[in-house]
Amino acid sequence: MRNKDWVKDYPVHIILKPQKDELLSSWLTRTALEHGQTLSLFISSYIKHDGTALARTDIDFRYDEKLFKQLTFKSGLDIKTIRHMSLRSEEGYLFSCNDCLYPPQQIRKLVDKRTHHGLMFCPKCLAEDKVPYFRKQWRYRFYNACPKHKIFLVDRCGKCYERIRLTKITSEQSIVYCSRCGRDLRLTKPHKIPIKYFYGLEAINWFEDGLVNGYFTINSKKVLSLWVFQSYTRLQYLLDRRNKLVLDGYPMQEDYKQLCKKLNHYNSKKCGPIYKDFFLSSMVYHLFKNYPHNLVKFTKDNHLTHRDFLHGLKEAPFWYIQMIDKQIPMHNTVGREISEFEVIQAIRYLKNIGTNITQKSVAGIIGCHFSIHKGFVRIYKSICK
């Protein structure tokens, strides 16, 4: 059996300088191509013997101290620089993760057929780079457009629609070429963001500034960025109400609803999911912009309750819980006592006027919440078995 431990002592011949906010996979791929090798072959030859298996994982999210130390030893770069290229450097600011294997919701997965591919890019940024590279921001869920060039990010080749696969780029290519058809990604024609969508770019800048600073200023108070991003995913879920959404003062509400209709006819080669994330991120920003007015009005207009904001939410930040407790008081789950006679009479009334009998319609006649009032729920279910 061959001894493969010799790889750890084999030196890297060409050391490339990491660019600003460059992804670890981008830096490794550029280094591999300078050595005339693919990423997997380079890792096997210079870093560790099981390079093919390592290259198939999400290197940017993988937490591997041994790998970081090995890269530090091989490259001569300090370990702080190596760690900064990893998405794990944002732990505690963008997301919280306890030995999780897959990226949390604040970071896009590399492959997700339900939405769009995780590694996106700005063609104009790549074209302007003296040294083209892929940024960490292009993996963040809130980062769906380029504020500098005012265009939507792209998640695949504009010719063959192949996703960006750095591990598949051959030694004869550059990092800016499609791994399947070889087309220059810098030539991809992105969709321009119209002026009426600039509110969304304002939201991206706000989220990015908060992440860089480590805190957001909401209602004249500093709030840890991690707490806001943990709340972000829950608020996005509540905001994604499609045609039922009521969000007063949000300038792109009708555009969002039109997009939701189009997404019913899903086509994997279209950019609809990217646009939708763009809208939802700007909606979350809208809730915090005029805090607490926008949040409270959204809750009332969409008939949401305290339970909607917190039920089933794991590891909710204390700040978020306090915010919801203060701005959206919990309903009385007991309420006034409701008799069986009241429920029966309400059902008879609905029958007489020809209205469909549901738990919600009956509760509307009685004057209680259809799912929170425990006494009503118990009586209704016993009658309508």
Side-chain angles (χ1 to χ4, degrees):
M1 183 179 291
R2 293 188 180 92
N3 180 11
K4 299 179 181 179
D5 290 338
W6 63 273
V7 173
K8 66 182 181 181
D9 300 320
Y10 200 70
V12 173
H13 302 298
I14 304 172
I15 308 299
L16 298 181
K17 179 183 177 181
Q19 300 300 305
K20 182 182 178 182
D21 293 326
E22 182 171 14
L23 278 169
L24 181 60
S25 60
S26 172
W27 176 73
L28 284 172
T29 302
R30 290 195 301 113
T31 305
L33 295 176
E34 283 293 322
H35 286 76
Q37 296 182 335
T38 61
L39 178 58
S40 58
L41 182 59
F42 170 76
I43 293 176
S44 296
S45 302
Y46 292 92
I47 309 301
K48 54 193 303 185
H49 64 81
D50 57 342
T52 303
L54 179 61
R56 285 199 298 264
T57 65
D58 188 347
I59 298 177
D60 297 315
F61 186 72
R62 181 188 179 99
Y63 182 77
D64 190 336
E65 276 296 323
K66 290 184 179 179
L67 175 63
F68 294 159
K69 290 179 181 178
Q70 185 75 339
L71 290 174
T72 300
F73 170 73
K74 295 279 186 174
S75 65
L77 300 172
D78 60 87
I79 196 166
K80 184 178 179 181
T81 301
I82 298 295
R83 284 175 177 156
H84 181 72
M85 290 189 284
S86 170
L87 291 172
R88 289 288 187 148
S89 63
E90 304 304 327
E91 188 170 357
Y93 299 96
L94 178 63
F95 64 90
S96 175
C97 181
N98 297 321
D99 299 324
C100 49
L101 297 176
Y102 302 103
Q105 294 182 24
Q106 293 89 343
I107 293 176
R108 285 187 289 267
K109 296 179 182 178
L110 285 176
V111 182
D112 191 345
K113 294 180 180 179
R114 296 170 299 175
T115 55
H116 48 73
H117 302 307
L119 182 54
M120 301 204 289
F121 66 95
C122 170
K124 291 189 177 183
C125 283
L126 290 179
E128 291 179 359
D129 289 339
K130 291 183 179 179
V131 179
Y133 67 100
F134 286 80
R135 280 87 160 150
K136 289 166 61 178
Q137 294 95 316
W138 294 345
R139 288 287 304 273
Y140 301 159
R141 186 173 177 182
F142 71 83
Y143 210 97
N144 306 287
C146 177
K148 179 182 178 181
H149 297 109
K150 296 177 175 56
I151 59 176
F152 286 103
L153 297 187
V154 184
D155 70 335
R156 64 197 75 195
C157 172
K159 182 180 179 181
C160 69
Y161 303 111
E162 172 69 352
R163 64 187 174 91
I164 309 305
R165 306 178 73 179
L166 299 182
T167 57
K168 295 295 182 179
I169 297 176
T170 62
S171 56
E172 295 82 17
Q173 293 177 311
S174 166
I175 200 170
V176 295
Y177 293 101
C178 174
S179 59
R180 178 190 285 177
C181 69
R183 187 175 189 268
D184 192 334
L185 298 174
R186 293 171 294 189
L187 300 177
T188 305
K189 293 183 178 180
H191 292 277
K192 293 182 180 179
I193 297 178
I195 295 176
K196 64 178 181 178
Y197 288 178
F198 279 11
Y199 192 77
L201 296 177
E202 184 181 315
I204 292 174
N205 285 326
W206 185 76
F207 282 119
E208 187 174 22
D209 289 344
L211 179 60
V212 172
N213 295 330
Y215 67 88
F216 291 88
T217 302
I218 300 175
N219 200 24
S220 302
K221 295 181 180 179
K222 292 182 179 179
V223 180
L224 184 67
S225 62
L226 174 62
W227 298 343
V228 174
F229 285 115
Q230 285 178 324
S231 310
Y232 169 95
T233 55
R234 182 63 168 200
L235 293 174
Q236 265 205 341
Y237 167 76
L238 293 174
L239 284 160
D240 191 12
R241 305 177 69 79
R242 299 174 182 171
N243 291 329
K244 296 180 180 179
L245 174 69
V246 179
L247 190 57
D248 187 53
Y250 177 66
M252 299 181 287
Q253 186 170 177
E254 292 306 315
D255 299 277
Y256 160 75
K257 291 180 179 179
Q258 289 297 321
L259 175 65
C260 289
K261 291 180 181 178
K262 292 180 181 179
L263 286 176
N264 290 330
H265 308 286
Y266 178 72
N267 185 327
S268 61
K269 296 178 182 178
K270 293 183 178 179
C271 302
I274 298 176
Y275 302 156
K276 185 176 180 180
D277 273 357
F278 176 79
F279 287 136
L280 290 174
S281 294
S282 60
M283 289 181 200
V284 176
Y285 165 67
H286 182 74
L287 294 184
F288 287 124
K289 186 176 182 181
N290 188 17
Y291 181 85
H293 176 267
N294 289 350
L295 175 65
V296 174
K297 192 155 193 339
F298 163 70
T299 303
K300 292 180 179 178
D301 291 345
N302 293 273
H303 309 291
L304 298 175
T305 64
H306 183 279
R307 185 177 186 273
D308 292 319
F309 284 88
L310 291 173
H311 181 68
L313 184 61
K314 298 180 180 179
E315 299 181 357
F318 182 67
W319 168 80
Y320 177 74
I321 296 173
Q322 275 193 319
M323 176 184 73
I324 300 303
D325 285 344
K326 182 178 180 180
Q327 305 301 335
I328 308 160
M330 184 181 295
H331 282 267
N332 185 351
T333 59
V334 179
R336 69 176 182 83
E337 186 175 349
I338 294 175
S339 66
E340 184 176 340
F341 176 76
E342 282 185 272
V343 178
I344 293 173
Q345 291 300 315
I347 292 173
R348 287 179 180 175
Y349 171 74
L350 291 173
K351 285 181 178 179
N352 291 335
I353 63 175
T355 302
N356 188 29
I357 297 172
T358 64
Q359 187 169 324
K360 190 171 185 179
S361 63
V362 174
I365 298 297
I366 295 174
C368 67
H369 196 279
F370 72 98
S371 63
I372 293 179
H373 197 294
K374 296 180 179 180
F376 165 75
V377 172
R378 183 177 63 255
I379 294 170
Y380 178 83
K381 288 184 177 180
S382 66
I383 295 174
C384 302
K385 289 181 179 179

